[in-house]
Amino acid sequence: MIMDLYVLNSDFKRLDIISYAESVIWTKRYFSVGDFEIVLPASRYLLQLFQSSEERYVMRPGDPVGMIVEKVQLTTDEENGDKIIISGSTYQGFLKRRIVWGQKILKGTLLDCILLGLVVDNAIDDSTIEGRKIEYLAIRPNIVAGWEGDNPDIEKQVTDDLLSDAVTTICTAFGLGWEIYFEGGKLLFNLYKGKDRSYGQNMLPIVLFSPEYGNFLSGTYTFDKTNYKNVAMVAGEGEGASRKMAAVGNASGRSRYEVFVDQSSLSSNDGEISDIDYMIQLRTAGEEKLAEYGTSETYESTVDPEGNYQYGIDYNLGDIVEVENEYGLKARVRITEVIESEDENGYTCIPKFENVEG
């Protein structure tokens, strides 16, 4: 039987329990916003429940990371029956509703820039522009005090980006995951770093996915350098010969792949930002853009949910694990996405792995 699903109103109060979904796809992502899709037999009641002018949310028992209902689709089919398809995003999607308002100079520790400079300033603090506060949203207590990873100083300028995109860009560059979950009557924004369960450490049990161990049922390996770039010419404010420019990367010959990065939205505010700091911001923008153009090695695998490793117990989203297959491919990888699906054929779990340097 497919898992129970809780339907909540805009105040996160339970309206109903659904235990008759035909299929559920529940996707969480480490660096960015996740999503879901639920297929239900059509009924007037369900259509009215989800089509309400009041926002609806869906949660699973024991999982505080819920979903925002963003789309309701009714399909009619005489042969297969009428269906209602519900879809949307994880609670991270609340940050898609805000932009970084105007120009924002982020300068300080990594955590402070994300938590205070981005999330609090644009989605929690209502003191500057009335109406921007997202109800129930708060920063998870003691993130900074209990942080065990690196927390370097950064300097970056963000202007008018979607708040979710701005958070994703920084988290991806520094290998951080982010999430929003409901607990204690609040939507808590959290930053976290996956645990290392690879051969590169000796504190935790190794997690190895391999056909040899029967936990790697099927998979796809992809190496992609289609859009690879390693040198960026970053152009900032100004025009013609007076335009401020910065180069990032030093590859040469046939190994040099160039890209132009337009950062004209970066402003020095008529000299308020020094030339040195402005060039740092240009180079940071170039480094982030090059990260988007890197080569990628990805592995997608259907793993055995009854195998020797259990998702949520032995490994989690964001963890670093080992994979190897029968063709000699071996890699230390991070779990950047987990797709859980359940239908009449049973439950499947499909992690997506991305290669980790070092």
Side-chain angles (χ1 to χ4, degrees):
M1 185 178 71
I2 291 180
M3 69 187 80
D4 288 339
L5 300 165
Y6 299 153
V7 182
L8 313 177
N9 68 9
S10 59
D11 290 318
F12 302 93
K13 305 299 183 184
R14 189 185 305 174
L15 296 174
D16 204 350
I17 300 176
I18 293 177
S19 57
Y20 46 85
E22 296 186 6
S23 68
V24 177
I25 300 174
W26 202 270
T27 303
K28 294 181 183 179
R29 297 186 177 91
Y30 183 63
F31 294 124
S32 59
V33 180
D35 52 58
F36 81 104
E37 180 186 275
I38 302 169
V39 178
L40 298 159
S43 72
R44 185 184 298 270
Y45 167 73
L46 285 176
L47 190 60
Q48 292 175 345
L49 177 65
F50 286 106
Q51 202 184 22
S52 168
S53 58
E54 184 184 71
E55 190 157 70
R56 298 288 189 248
Y57 312 117
V58 180
M59 294 185 71
R60 303 184 300 178
D63 185 354
V65 178
M67 300 285 184
I68 307 167
V69 175
E70 297 173 337
K71 183 177 180 180
V72 180
Q73 183 178 12
L74 172 66
T75 65
T76 57
D77 187 320
E78 185 174 339
E79 181 177 345
N80 298 309
D82 299 345
K83 313 292 182 188
I84 292 178
I85 304 171
I86 312 299
S87 58
S89 65
T90 53
Y91 287 158
Q92 295 162 301
F94 285 118
L95 298 198
K96 296 191 296 183
R97 303 181 184 185
R98 296 291 182 271
I99 63 170
V100 178
W101 198 272
Q103 183 194 72
K104 182 67 179 179
I105 306 296
L106 300 174
K107 189 173 183 179
T109 67
L110 173 64
L111 298 188
D112 282 348
C113 286
I114 297 174
L115 299 175
L116 303 179
L118 289 178
V119 180
V120 170
D121 193 53
N122 292 284
I124 296 176
D125 183 6
D126 203 24
S127 63
T128 304
I129 300 176
E130 186 177 355
R132 300 201 74 211
K133 177 179 174 60
I134 295 176
E135 299 89 341
Y136 296 98
L137 184 63
I139 301 297
R140 182 182 70 78
N142 300 318
I143 293 180
V144 177
W147 192 256
E148 296 180 352
D150 295 333
N151 189 20
D153 287 337
I154 65 172
E155 184 169 343
K156 177 180 172 63
Q157 185 178 137
V158 184
T159 305
D160 302 331
D161 290 358
L162 274 179
L163 181 54
S164 56
D165 290 348
V167 171
T168 292
T169 297
I170 298 177
C171 284
T172 302
F174 288 91
L176 298 184
W178 67 282
E179 62 185 353
I180 296 177
Y181 59 90
F182 192 78
E183 184 176 276
K186 294 181 179 180
L187 288 166
L188 297 179
F189 177 92
N190 185 39
L191 293 170
Y192 66 101
K193 195 144 192 175
K195 292 180 169 53
D196 191 344
R197 303 178 188 273
S198 72
Y199 290 130
Q201 55 81 43
N202 56 15
M203 300 296 292
L204 296 173
I206 305 300
V207 173
L208 170 62
F209 290 101
S210 169
E212 181 180 348
Y213 292 96
N215 56 20
F216 200 101
L217 301 182
S218 63
T220 301
Y221 163 78
T222 304
F223 173 80
D224 188 354
K225 63 178 295 183
T226 306
N227 298 309
Y228 175 64
K229 306 293 180 184
N230 58 13
V231 175
M233 174 57 70
V234 190
E237 63 184 1
E239 297 182 359
S242 64
R243 191 169 188 184
K244 295 179 179 178
M245 313 285 282
V248 178
N250 55 12
S252 62
R254 285 180 295 168
S255 298
R256 185 181 177 99
Y257 296 74
E258 299 178 347
V259 63
F260 176 79
V261 180
D262 183 0
Q263 289 292 314
S264 54
S265 61
L266 281 179
S267 174
S268 66
N269 299 335
D270 295 324
E272 181 181 329
I273 299 173
S274 70
D275 286 344
I276 292 175
D277 285 345
Y278 188 82
M279 295 305 290
I280 290 173
Q281 292 176 14
L282 281 183
R283 285 193 288 271
T284 298
E287 289 166 357
E288 291 179 348
K289 183 59 67 174
L290 286 180
E292 296 176 14
Y293 285 105
T295 60
S296 66
E297 283 189 272
T298 61
Y299 307 75
E300 292 187 29
S301 170
T302 301
V303 300
D304 184 358
E306 304 297 327
N308 55 335
Y309 304 126
Q310 300 295 307
Y311 173 53
I313 299 175
D314 300 298
Y315 67 95
N316 279 290
L317 184 66
D319 286 355
I320 297 173
V321 299
E322 301 282 343
V323 296
E324 62 180 48
N325 65 16
E326 60 269 46
Y327 296 98
L329 290 170
K330 298 181 180 180
R332 180 172 177 261
V333 296
R334 185 186 297 279
I335 302 170
T336 57
E337 176 181 290
V338 176
I339 303 173
E340 296 177 87
S341 65
E342 194 168 5
D343 57 23
E344 61 184 6
N345 297 314
Y347 171 83
T348 61
C349 180
I350 305 175
K352 180 178 180 180
F353 308 104
E354 293 188 6
N355 203 53
V356 176
E357 297 294 333

